[in-house]
Amino acid sequence: MKWLDSDTRREYDEAVSLAPGLVREESNPHFFLRVHLGDVSGASVRLALYWKYRKLLFGESRWLLPLNLTGRGALSTGDIEILRSGHVVIVPRPYSNEGAVFLVDLSRLPRTAGFSSTRTNFYLAHACAEDMSHPGGVTLIYVVTSAPRQPLTMQKEILAYLVKGLPVKVKRILVAQSHEEGKELPLIHWPSNLRARWSFILAYLPY
């Protein structure tokens, strides 16, 4: 880590100084190295960015608290509500050359998630580190149903938090229609603005 410039590693150094045990527990270098196939340079940058984005997303009062579901840790009660909605389901693939499958159903969200959804990904990266850091990469499947759902929004900055700072490699993103009895017509429509948004997201992924 010492070769990184001071601006990149500032939050990492602060976290090590103030909460060394938390740094060891919740940002194990093993998982960052795993994502980068043992490349120390890439893993070091990702580890430093993890703490930079963590401070930015959780704020001064919570970024150095543990990632748990008590409501007194890094996640607020609002964040936990979003996590427990079940809008993300993780399907491990222990015998595959690729990582887990993440099913994302935005219709299960009780409200607009905002940055709460991004913060819950930090919890998942910690709780499901083995699945998320698989060197073969994970697959994200956005499930579309007839139920009302929050619009898909993905700002460049938010995407950076996920693909550059967390110990996870995204291999592919898919969109799938859920089977619903009596509703056989396609629910997925591709207006030009949505096609452009997905093209941007896929182009931005660094893998």
Side-chain angles (χ1 to χ4, degrees), residues 6 9 20 23 38 41 57 62 64 70-71 83 88-89 127 132 159 179 181 191 193:
S6 58
R9 57 176 292 169
V23 174
S41 175
L57 284 168
R62 287 184 178 268
L64 293 178
T70 65
L83 181 64
V88 176
V89 175
M132 292 191 72
L159 190 60
H179 174 74
E181 197 67 34
N193 63 332

Side-chain angles (χ1 to χ4, degrees), residues 11 49-60 63 115 119 122 157-158 161:
E11 290 78 10
L49 291 178
Y50 171 90
W51 287 102
K52 184 177 292 293
Y53 295 146
R54 178 159 167 163
K55 184 175 184 179
L56 180 64
L57 284 168
F58 289 91
E60 289 283 354
W63 77 294
F115 281 107
R119 287 191 290 268
F122 276 75
E157 293 78 10
I158 297 176
Y161 302 155

Side-chain angles (χ1 to χ4, degrees), residues 28-47 50 99 125 128-138 162-171 206-207:
N28 188 329
H30 164 73
F31 299 115
F32 291 82
L33 286 165
R34 194 169 183 238
V35 167
H36 286 276
L37 303 176
D39 177 54
V40 175
S41 175
S44 298
V45 172
R46 184 176 294 269
L47 179 55
Y50 171 90
C128 309
E130 285 289 344
D131 292 317
M132 292 191 72
S133 66
H134 195 290
V138 303
L162 303 181
V163 301
K164 291 185 176 181
L166 293 180
V168 57
K169 178 188 293 186
V170 179
K171 183 175 181 65
Y207 303 106

Side-chain angles (χ1 to χ4, degrees), residues 6 8 10-11 22 31-32 68 93 130 143 145 147 152 189 198:
S6 58
T8 300
R10 179 177 295 111
E11 290 78 10
L22 185 73
F31 299 115
F32 291 82
N68 57 40
R93 295 194 290 177
E130 285 289 344
V143 180
T145 73
L152 174 65
H189 303 284
W198 277 108

Side-chain angles (χ1 to χ4, degrees), residues 100-140:
V101 173
F102 287 72
L103 301 174
V104 182
D105 183 354
L106 300 179
S107 70
R108 299 181 65 88
L109 288 172
R111 55 180 172 79
T112 302
F115 281 107
S116 284
S117 180
T118 311
R119 287 191 290 268
T120 60
N121 282 294
F122 276 75
Y123 173 80
L124 293 173
H126 170 56
C128 309
E130 285 289 344
D131 292 317
M132 292 191 72
S133 66
H134 195 290
V138 303
T139 297
L140 303 181

